[in-house]
Amino acid sequence: MSSNENAVTRLDLRSRLLVSTAGELRRRVDEARIRPGAVIGLVPTMGFFHEGHLSLMRAARAECSYVIVSAFVNPIQFGATEDFNTYPRDLDRDLAVAAGEGVDLMFAPPEHEVYQPGFDTMVVPGKISEGLCGASRPGHFRGVATIVAKLFNIVKPDTAYFGQKDAQQVAVIRRMATDLNFDVAIRVCPTVREPGGLAMSSRNTYLSDEEREQAAVLFRALSAAKEAAASGETSVSRIRRKMKKMIGGEYLVDLEYVKIVNPVDLEPVEEVATEALVAVAARVGRTRLIDNMMLTPGGPDAADA
Ligand code: PAF
């Protein structure tokens, strides 16, 4: 394609798909909502799409008559020393990808549209946001809950789609939707992984080849925990010890936490007697990665439980 044709395609996609104000978004969704049988799906993202985002768009496309994807790098969920400025962005590529997935509309507002002068109200999640990533990212889930609440209020989706990779985010949003009476179904889609097992994330673009290779230990350690639980291991401390040993074997991977918690309220559990969530966070070079898996107890006693 010539650079002129490229520019025309870009402009065409922007005019067909892109909405950058809340007012226009509300107007377009309200139009779609009154069509017979309308089901409105929302996929909130920070853009720079990868296969994980595509799986959310595909689930939404399969289940909804009208699909909105938001792509907004939300400044208030980043700490002062975090990667807000360097977070990867590519609006035209995202628009082309969203169009390819049959998305109806992409909401990519400028920051001043979302946080207007005088903005002074936050949604503050409670205890559920304090452990795991909340311990090292104070204010992060307040930023997430606030932007998601704003999106829910503007779009009023029937269903909103999130990835299991961000398990704490999912728990916080579910809690918020229940506590604040948002009339929306929260659909959680499985984590999509790179061939070595590393969970897909826009931040994976920061990794060098060697870092990427070593980062896959998080997947291997989670898989080992899953296998141990399925074979009857119920001791949280033994599972964590084993995982820490595996992760410690990769010199570029600096473990922040490995925790086993109740998947709904994220409270730590002492043994894997029922389904539990094992979650990890680690720094690999300058990149902070998270991942998790569900543990399902197995072994001789499981059938009686
Ligand atoms: O998961 C993300 O990409 C973000 O945290 C979200 C939910 C879009 C809020 O900014």
Side-chain angles (χ1 to χ4, degrees), residues 64-212:
C64 305
S65 64
Y66 197 80
V67 176
I68 299 120
V69 175
S70 66
F72 175 64
V73 185
N74 176 34
I76 66 166
Q77 70 186 71
F78 289 78
T81 58
E82 292 182 356
D83 57 344
F84 173 69
N85 288 323
T86 52
Y87 195 87
R89 294 159 168 91
D90 190 341
L91 179 61
D92 286 311
R93 177 177 157 277
D94 284 351
L95 277 167
V97 170
E101 295 302 327
V103 163
D104 293 292
L105 191 156
M106 189 158 123
F107 181 50
E111 194 179 318
H112 61 81
E113 169 66 21
V114 178
Y115 299 114
Q116 307 232 342
F119 175 84
D120 197 24
T121 305
M122 293 275 193
V123 177
V124 185
K127 205 156 175 272
I128 201 162
S129 68
E130 287 166 10
L132 304 180
C133 292
S136 64
R137 302 190 72 190
H140 169 67
F141 290 109
R142 186 183 54 189
V144 170
T146 301
I147 188 67
V148 172
K150 281 165 79 67
L151 290 167
F152 284 179
N153 279 328
I154 301 167
V155 174
K156 298 189 185 68
D158 295 295
T159 308
Y161 296 80
F162 297 91
Q164 172 62 28
K165 196 208 78 180
D166 299 303
Q168 188 171 16
Q169 169 168 287
V170 166
V172 166
I173 290 168
R174 278 195 198 284
R175 189 71 259 163
M176 175 189 79
T178 302
D179 291 349
L180 302 186
N181 302 88
F182 282 105
D183 189 14
V184 56
I186 307 296
R187 258 273 270 128
V188 182
C189 298
T191 302
V192 179
R193 299 182 179 281
E194 296 188 2
L198 179 64
M200 294 263 183
S201 161
S202 302
R203 289 192 169 99
N204 291 357
T205 52
Y206 300 151
L207 297 169
S208 68
D209 289 348
E210 194 185 6
E211 286 171 346
R212 185 176 292 257

Side-chain angles (χ1 to χ4, degrees), residues 1-304:
M1 227 191 259
S2 73
S3 63
N4 258 353
E5 282 169 328
N6 264 333
V8 171
T9 311
R10 265 203 310 274
L11 279 177
D12 178 51
L13 278 176
R14 282 187 177 227
S15 70
R16 268 197 305 122
L17 223 60
L18 180 63
V19 167
S20 37
T21 67
E24 173 69 359
L25 175 60
R26 208 188 286 271
R27 195 186 62 70
R28 298 268 290 267
V29 181
D30 282 350
E31 256 172 37
R33 202 187 318 277
I34 56 173
R35 292 180 203 143
V39 181
I40 308 295
L42 172 68
V43 182
T45 82
M46 297 206 297
F48 207 71
F49 297 150
H50 52 67
E51 282 294 324
H53 296 119
L54 300 198
S55 74
L56 304 182
M57 292 180 212
R58 285 171 194 159
R61 185 68 287 165
E63 295 167 6
C64 305
S65 64
Y66 197 80
V67 176
I68 299 120
V69 175
S70 66
F72 175 64
V73 185
N74 176 34
I76 66 166
Q77 70 186 71
F78 289 78
T81 58
E82 292 182 356
D83 57 344
F84 173 69
N85 288 323
T86 52
Y87 195 87
R89 294 159 168 91
D90 190 341
L91 179 61
D92 286 311
R93 177 177 157 277
D94 284 351
L95 277 167
V97 170
E101 295 302 327
V103 163
D104 293 292
L105 191 156
M106 189 158 123
F107 181 50
E111 194 179 318
H112 61 81
E113 169 66 21
V114 178
Y115 299 114
Q116 307 232 342
F119 175 84
D120 197 24
T121 305
M122 293 275 193
V123 177
V124 185
K127 205 156 175 272
I128 201 162
S129 68
E130 287 166 10
L132 304 180
C133 292
S136 64
R137 302 190 72 190
H140 169 67
F141 290 109
R142 186 183 54 189
V144 170
T146 301
I147 188 67
V148 172
K150 281 165 79 67
L151 290 167
F152 284 179
N153 279 328
I154 301 167
V155 174
K156 298 189 185 68
D158 295 295
T159 308
Y161 296 80
F162 297 91
Q164 172 62 28
K165 196 208 78 180
D166 299 303
Q168 188 171 16
Q169 169 168 287
V170 166
V172 166
I173 290 168
R174 278 195 198 284
R175 189 71 259 163
M176 175 189 79
T178 302
D179 291 349
L180 302 186
N181 302 88
F182 282 105
D183 189 14
V184 56
I186 307 296
R187 258 273 270 128
V188 182
C189 298
T191 302
V192 179
R193 299 182 179 281
E194 296 188 2
L198 179 64
M200 294 263 183
S201 161
S202 302
R203 289 192 169 99
N204 291 357
T205 52
Y206 300 151
L207 297 169
S208 68
D209 289 348
E210 194 185 6
E211 286 171 346
R212 185 176 292 257
E213 215 166 279
Q214 293 208 9
V217 75
L218 300 178
F219 169 71
R220 292 197 301 276
L222 290 167
S223 306
K226 193 173 178 63
E227 257 178 59
S231 324
E233 175 61 274
T234 56
S235 160
V236 161
S237 58
R238 273 199 298 268
I239 295 175
R240 289 178 69 217
R241 210 174 314 129
K242 182 174 175 168
M243 291 178 71
K244 284 184 186 175
K245 193 161 172 226
M246 286 178 77
I247 295 168
E250 298 291 5
Y251 74 101
L252 291 174
V253 182
D254 185 11
L255 184 65
E256 188 184 299
Y257 68 74
V258 44
K259 295 256 161 77
I260 301 182
V261 298
N262 174 303
V264 177
D265 61 15
L266 307 185
E267 287 295 318
V269 295
E270 268 157 35
E271 54 169 32
V272 185
T274 54
E275 278 223 313
L277 179 83
V278 55
V280 291
R283 286 200 179 271
V284 184
R286 69 186 179 111
T287 312
R288 185 175 182 280
L289 299 174
I290 56 171
D291 201 350
N292 66 83
M293 275 187 199
M294 289 300 296
L295 302 183
T296 308
D301 301 333
D304 308 329

